[in-house]
Amino acid sequence: MAKTKLIDVAKRAGVSNSTVSQYLNGRFDYMSEKTKLRIQKAISELDYVPNPIARSLKMNKTKTIGVIVRDITGFYTSRTIRGIDDYCKNSEYNLLIYNTDVDPKVEAKSLDTLNQLRVDGIIIASSGQNTDLINRYSDNGLPIVHFQLEHDGQEKNIIISDYRKAAFEATEYLIQLGHKRICFVTQDFNQVKSRKDRFLGYADALQKHAIPMDQSLIKYWHRETGFEQSPIEYLHTENPPSVFFTQHLAITTELLSVLNAANIVIPDDVSLLGFDDIPMAEYFKVPITVITQNPYEIGRQATKLLLNNINSKTPASEKIMIPCSLIKRLSCKQV
C-alpha cells in the first residue's frame, strides 16, 4: 500500500498543499473552522503521518536534541536524563541519547553522528578529551551545553553543582564533630576543575579552622584499578584517619565493600562521608552521611539553557551553579 502524501490530504480536503502545510505547522490565523475540520478529517481518514525529516528541512529545525553521557546506568546520570526528558516533553522536543562509557573515541563519534543527524543542540557530560571538536561544532553554530564536570574552566555554557562550597560545608561539619585526620579520597584532579574545586573546598575548611594540610591524607582511586593504597593498610598506620571523605559514588561503594570485608565497623572504627547519595542508603544498617546533588534540576536547567540558545538570535554564554545539600545520617561520629 502506497504511503499517504501531503498532496493526498489536500485533494481529500479540497484545499491547496500550502493550506495543509500551514495546518500541520499550527498556523491557523487566516484559516476558517470549516477548513480546519476538513483537513483534520482527511488526515484521520487517510491515516496520514507527516514526514518529520521533510518538515525539518523546511523549518531548519529537527525539534530534536542530543544527550551524550558517560555512564547511562549511573544514579546521577539517570536522574539528569529524567530532568532533561521532562523539560523536553513540555517543550515538544525529542531526545537522542548516547552512552560513551567515558571513552573519548566513542564520545567523538557520538558528537559527529548527532551533528550529521542535524540535532538542534547537544547536552554533554564530556570526557574533557574532545575540547577542540566540541569548540569547532559550537563555533559553527551548534548550541552545546555541558553538565556534570567542568574540565578546563573554558566551557562556554555549563550547568554544574557548587562543588567547592559543598566540600567546604562537609569538611567543616566533620571538623565540628572533632575530626582533624580527614582522609580525602579522590580521583586525580589536576586536569579536572570540578574535582579540584572539591579539593579546594576541603582545603578552605582546614585553613579556616587552622588545621594543617597533610598530604598523606590525600588518597587516590582510579576507575580501572581502584585504590592506590589499601584503605585497610592506611587504617593500621601509626596516625590513621578518623574519617574518610570520598569524592565519588563509585569510590564510596568500593570503600564500603573493602571495609565490610575487613570487618571494619562504621562509625565505631572509622567514620565515612561520601559525595553523591547512595540509592536506598537510608535502609543500610548504618545509613551513610552524604553530600547530595540535584541532578534532576541540573537536567532541567541544562535543557532550558540549551533551548534558549537554540531559539535566540544572539545566544550568550552562561555558567549556572546548582547548590548541593548535606544529608546527616549515622556514619559520622563525634570524636
Side-chain angles (χ1 to χ4, degrees):
M1 184 175 178
K3 187 174 181 179
T4 303
K5 300 178 181 179
L6 183 145
I7 190 173
D8 300 321
V9 175
K11 287 180 179 178
R12 176 67 68 93
V15 298
S16 67
N17 292 352
S18 63
T19 300
V20 175
S21 179
Q22 289 173 7
Y23 174 89
L24 294 172
N25 290 312
R27 296 196 291 268
F28 307 133
D29 294 348
Y30 302 103
M31 195 176 298
S32 70
E33 194 63 32
K34 285 185 177 181
T35 299
K36 285 193 288 184
L37 288 173
R38 288 207 311 274
I39 296 172
Q40 186 180 44
K41 183 180 179 183
I43 289 173
S44 178
E45 290 175 347
L46 295 172
D47 196 22
Y48 173 69
V49 179
N51 185 334
I53 296 176
R55 292 179 68 190
S56 68
L57 289 173
K58 291 181 180 179
M59 299 171 62
N60 202 29
K61 284 186 180 179
T62 61
K63 299 292 284 187
T64 301
I65 66 171
V67 180
I68 301 175
V69 297
R70 299 150 60 87
D71 179 8
I72 200 169
T73 64
F75 180 74
Y76 173 98
T77 301
S78 63
R79 295 299 300 158
T80 306
I81 291 174
R82 181 56 190 266
I84 295 170
D85 187 52
D86 283 353
Y87 198 97
C88 281
K89 285 175 181 174
N90 292 330
S91 305
E92 298 183 346
Y93 266 79
N94 299 305
L95 295 184
L96 291 174
I97 302 171
Y98 283 72
N99 182 70
T100 69
D101 289 323
V102 202
D103 186 330
K105 292 181 180 178
V106 175
E107 180 180 282
K109 185 176 180 181
S110 300
L111 284 160
D112 291 337
T113 301
L114 287 170
N115 182 61
Q116 291 166 10
L117 291 171
R118 299 186 60 173
V119 296
D120 295 336
I122 294 174
I123 297 173
I124 183 170
S126 80
S127 65
Q129 303 300 308
N130 289 299
T131 301
D132 290 343
L133 179 61
I134 292 171
N135 288 341
R136 186 167 77 245
Y137 280 135
S138 180
D139 292 342
N140 287 336
L142 179 63
I144 296 177
V145 171
H146 296 259
F147 79 99
Q148 196 167 38
L149 288 178
E150 186 177 17
H151 291 276
D152 59 7
Q154 301 301 311
E155 291 86 351
K156 294 179 180 178
N157 286 287
I158 187 166
I159 314 289
I160 52 170
S161 298
D162 194 342
Y163 294 118
R164 186 166 183 167
K165 183 179 180 182
F168 172 87
E169 291 176 349
T171 306
E172 187 167 62
Y173 165 69
L174 294 173
I175 293 170
Q176 290 167 350
L177 288 177
H179 294 278
K180 293 185 178 180
R181 299 284 296 168
I182 303 170
C183 184
F184 186 87
V185 191
T186 181
Q187 294 170 273
D188 179 68
F189 53 76
N190 289 322
Q191 304 300 320
V192 182
K193 186 178 184 300
S194 291
R195 293 177 190 157
K196 182 69 174 287
D197 283 344
R198 298 184 191 196
F199 173 75
L200 292 175
Y202 164 78
D204 290 343
L206 295 180
Q207 183 178 36
K208 176 182 175 180
H209 293 273
I211 298 175
M213 172 68 70
D214 184 344
Q215 291 296 328
S216 71
L217 288 169
I218 314 303
K219 298 299 180 183
Y220 294 94
W221 174 92
H222 302 280
R223 187 179 295 273
E224 296 80 11
T225 57
F227 297 104
E228 283 189 357
Q229 179 183 4
S230 166
I232 306 305
E233 290 179 5
Y234 194 43
L235 284 175
H236 290 115
T237 58
E238 185 176 339
N239 193 16
S242 60
V243 58
F244 288 109
F245 180 18
T246 55
Q247 302 304 306
H248 192 284
L249 177 57
I251 302 176
T252 308
T253 54
E254 186 170 337
L255 179 61
L256 284 169
S257 296
V258 170
L259 296 178
N260 184 58
N263 294 315
I264 303 296
V265 179
I266 298 172
D268 296 344
D269 298 325
V270 67
S271 293
L272 172 62
L273 190 154
F275 215 111
D276 284 335
D277 206 355
I278 305 171
M280 302 183 72
E282 65 270 25
Y283 299 110
F284 286 15
K285 184 178 181 180
V286 178
I288 306 301
T289 297
V290 295
I291 298 167
T292 182
Q293 302 184 63
N294 192 344
Y296 182 84
E297 183 61 19
I298 286 174
R300 290 188 74 260
Q301 291 294 332
T303 313
K304 180 180 178 181
L305 177 58
L306 182 68
L307 297 189
N308 284 344
N309 281 345
I310 289 171
N311 296 310
S312 174
K313 293 181 179 179
T314 56
S317 297
E318 192 168 357
K319 177 179 179 178
I320 298 175
M321 306 278 278
I322 304 296
C324 299
S325 301
L326 178 63
I327 300 180
K328 301 173 184 178
R329 297 190 179 120
L330 301 178
S331 64
C332 298
K333 71 174 183 179
Q334 189 92 33
V335 295

